[in-house]
Amino acid sequence: MKIITSVRKFCYLTESLKRHGKTIGFVPTMGYFHEGHLSLFRRARRENDVVVVSLFVNPAQFGVNEDFKQYPRNRKRDMRLCAQERVDYVFAPSITAMYPEGFQTYVEPGKLASGLCGKSRPGHFRGVATVVAKLFNLAQPTVVYLGQKDYQQCLIIRQLVADFDFQVQIKMCPIVREPSGLALSSRNTYLDEKGKQKALALVKAIRWFQARVKKGERDARLLKNGVRRILFKAGTRVDYVEILAARELSPFRKLSGKILLALAAYVPAGKRGGARNKVRLIDNCVMKIPKGGFI
Ligand code: AMP
């Protein structure tokens, strides 16, 4: 496995790979790997000649009061895991390599970015879209592997690919969870045992929602309130709970078609502390509602 930090060297490499007709499976990440990341590496490994992982904690996607500085990092362990998963290249540029002095052009996503995390984290998806556009130009990927954990991000990146004519296929991969059901996240490291217990409210709320919908409940307001209640009762502070059309992220009163339940909540971090001693966690589920029938 080779680690590349220079933008120029990375370009030479990907150009040469393309010239030799290799397919490039690409996984953009911010590091501090867990099984969620590894599941993407494994799929990329199965489906491509060459696997490239980028590791870059992108300052442009963090707000001023967010956890850019505290964001967990462990370069050595990350590299070891990449090597174990037979990743071929890790692109790990410095901040100045990605944003040299004078950098001033940003990609502004459209209405897919206006709700959910886009609303709670102004500028977040602008930072994501900008770095992803840069990484796609550099990595020249054939297929990009993204996690459903960041569902809205996947849709925004798909739209970016369509709008800017990137010759790239996007594959959204399932959320990997702990046996408890907690969705894996690099930010889980902020949680102590108590925090982890509280964080389980997210998956508990999702399961409650799935069961109600399976039983035939279609009233979005009622379902949202139920989910909120579970999150609140567990001692988390709700950031948002939304039930939306899964493709356009538009709201509806009565559920139909392919639906997304997306939630974000602040969980008390415990003594390890995140930004201002609370951790913002997200989770989601997608369901298909057959016309007129039950699931
Ligand atoms: P990050 O390092 O948090 O930017 O995540 C890098 C990629 O891993 C993104 O496409 C995430 O959606 C994906 N990812 C993060 N957590 C999970 C998870 N629990 N299951 C599957 N994919 C994940």
Side-chain angles (χ1 to χ4, degrees):
M1 188 186 78
K2 216 169 163 191
I3 301 162
I4 300 166
T5 54
S6 148
V7 165
R8 203 161 44 96
K9 282 188 185 150
F10 189 48
C11 276
Y12 286 151
L13 166 78
T14 55
E15 262 168 34
S16 147
L17 291 172
K18 289 301 245 200
R19 224 178 313 114
H20 288 89
K22 304 284 187 199
T23 57
I24 302 176
F26 179 52
V27 186
T29 81
M30 299 204 299
Y32 211 74
F33 298 142
H34 50 66
E35 281 291 324
H37 295 108
L38 304 192
S39 72
L40 305 181
F41 303 166
R42 284 173 198 148
R43 182 150 178 212
R45 181 70 285 166
R46 282 200 302 276
E47 299 179 356
N48 298 274
D49 299 326
V50 177
V51 177
V52 177
V53 167
S54 68
L55 197 171
F56 181 62
V57 184
N58 174 33
Q61 70 188 66
F62 288 80
V64 278
N65 289 319
E66 292 182 358
D67 58 344
F68 173 69
K69 275 206 179 125
Q70 301 104 303
Y71 195 83
R73 294 164 171 89
N74 189 340
R75 181 66 64 95
K76 240 186 171 169
R77 177 175 171 273
D78 284 350
M79 294 306 163
R80 198 179 66 235
L81 289 170
C82 279
Q84 270 173 21
E85 297 301 333
R86 296 181 298 124
V87 168
D88 297 296
Y89 300 98
V90 179
F91 177 52
S94 65
I95 294 174
T96 46
M98 290 299 274
Y99 300 109
E101 222 185 291
F103 183 92
Q104 54 182 278
T105 309
Y106 289 84
V107 178
E108 191 68 63
K111 62 174 185 286
L112 283 172
S114 62
L116 306 176
C117 292
K119 199 166 173 188
S120 316
R121 304 181 66 189
H124 170 65
F125 287 121
R126 178 185 196 244
V128 170
T130 302
V131 82
V132 163
K134 284 171 70 71
L135 289 170
F136 285 5
N137 275 329
L138 298 172
Q140 299 286 314
T142 317
V143 188
V144 175
Y145 298 85
L146 303 172
Q148 187 196 315
K149 167 85 189 332
D150 299 277
Y151 185 88
Q152 186 181 20
Q153 172 173 279
C154 288
L155 290 200
I156 290 168
I157 294 174
R158 276 212 175 120
Q159 190 67 43
L160 168 74
V161 164
D163 291 346
F164 281 9
D165 307 301
F166 284 109
Q167 301 306 299
V168 165
Q169 194 188 349
I170 300 289
K171 288 194 179 175
M172 196 194 294
C173 308
I175 301 175
V176 178
R177 298 176 180 279
E178 285 188 356
S180 65
L182 180 66
L184 293 178
S185 160
S186 304
R187 288 191 170 96
N188 290 353
T189 186
Y190 295 140
L191 300 169
D192 62 4
E193 264 318 302
K194 248 191 186 162
K196 262 196 165 177
Q197 279 306 315
K198 289 191 172 167
L200 286 177
L202 276 80
V203 68
K204 191 174 160 201
I206 286 177
R207 285 174 181 158
W208 175 85
F209 170 84
Q210 286 170 325
R212 291 307 302 256
V213 173
K214 274 186 188 150
K215 279 196 181 136
E217 184 57 67
R218 299 290 181 263
D219 184 326
R221 203 167 60 116
L222 191 148
L223 288 162
K224 267 200 276 192
N225 285 341
V227 168
R228 280 179 177 278
R229 211 172 311 120
I230 292 169
L231 292 173
F232 176 76
K233 267 193 176 164
T236 75
R237 183 162 72 73
V238 174
D239 178 13
Y240 63 71
V241 172
E242 297 289 353
I243 302 168
L244 304 169
R247 283 193 193 90
E248 308 82 23
L249 302 185
S250 49
F252 37 35
R253 275 203 206 135
K254 273 222 167 313
L255 311 195
S256 65
K258 198 175 166 195
I259 59 164
L260 167 77
L261 166 69
L263 36 98
Y266 292 94
V267 180
K271 52 185 177 301
R272 299 179 73 172
R276 280 193 252 116
N277 220 36
K278 56 190 187 322
V279 188
R280 185 175 171 281
L281 298 178
I282 58 172
D283 205 340
N284 68 76
C285 77
V286 175
M287 294 177 87
K288 243 190 203 138
I289 298 189
K291 272 198 187 113
F294 290 83
I295 292 173

